[in-house]
Amino acid sequence: MFDNKVAVVTGGVRGIGKAIADSFRDAGAQVRVIDLLPGGDYVGDLADKAVLEDFARTVVADCGHVDFLINNALPLMTGLDQCTYEAFNYALRVGVTAPFYLTKLFAPHFAPGAAIVNISSSRDRMSQPQTESYTAAKGGIAALTHALAVSLAGRVRVNSISPGWIDTAYTVYDGPDAAQQPAGRVGNPMDIAHMALYLCSDKAGFITGENICIDGGMTRQMIYHNDFGWTLEDRHP
């Protein structure tokens, strides 16, 4: 399906990123992975401007063009009580600045029919306590998606995916963990990889600027105190 195509995946050594990178390879694409962890094509910190520039130069020199950019790398999750100024900014550099800058660096080299998929999170619309750095980064990349879609109109389609609970170890849950999901199960990385491939395919040629939430329906489920046995405990007695 993607023979002779070039896909760039950030954070592609493990978890959702690995599933996406492997799926593109299985579909015939040439894949270039950058990650802070060893095991990809380029080891480097996406928060570092020089690393992004060198990685982009390397990809263009090796491949000549880019068809798909998947911005997946995971920002830090720290919260209001413990997160420092530096840690918060680091999360934004990985989660928002790097996707923006890689898009800018690759902009002259995107092939006709190119697509970008940004990995956001259902936390772009809902939160748990003490998750500010991660939530801000994921909200930022969701908004960046539609801005880039407009700026790159007619050249590159840009969409984002917001995963919910995705178990990267492919654990199969039963009981309340599964039953609480309207889809009846916890997600796995392939749920996201399948959508990434679809959004990069010609079948999604009329989709751009969208954020697609893949969370088993959790963000559509209304929850009230004492509903279905769920009871709110006052966190501020």
Side-chain angles (χ1 to χ4, degrees), residues 25 28 62 74 81 121-122 131 184 191 204 220 232-233:
R25 288 191 193 95
D62 290 347
L74 191 68
D81 291 350
S121 169
S122 59
T131 62
D191 292 314
R220 297 302 188 187
L232 176 66
E233 295 182 3

Side-chain angles (χ1 to χ4, degrees), residues 50-89:
V51 166
L52 298 175
E53 291 171 345
D54 187 60
F55 173 65
R57 279 193 300 267
T58 301
V59 170
V60 172
D62 290 347
C63 304
H65 71 280
V66 173
D67 295 281
F68 313 122
L69 171 61
I70 314 299
N71 291 302
N72 166 77
L74 191 68
L76 292 170
M77 183 186 290
T78 52
L80 185 64
D81 291 350
Q82 301 296 327
C83 187
T84 64
Y85 178 90
E86 291 76 16
F88 191 86
N89 276 285

Side-chain angles (χ1 to χ4, degrees), residues 2-61:
F2 291 137
D3 291 345
N4 302 315
K5 303 293 187 181
V6 176
V8 174
V9 182
T10 72
V13 169
R14 66 182 182 185
I16 290 172
K18 184 178 187 303
I20 292 172
D22 289 346
S23 294
F24 272 101
R25 288 191 193 95
D26 291 344
Q30 184 178 2
V31 179
R32 289 291 181 268
V33 169
I34 180 172
D35 202 302
L36 193 59
L37 300 172
D41 303 283
Y42 192 106
V43 178
D45 188 345
L46 282 116
D48 187 328
K49 178 174 179 280
V51 166
L52 298 175
E53 291 171 345
D54 187 60
F55 173 65
R57 279 193 300 267
T58 301
V59 170
V60 172

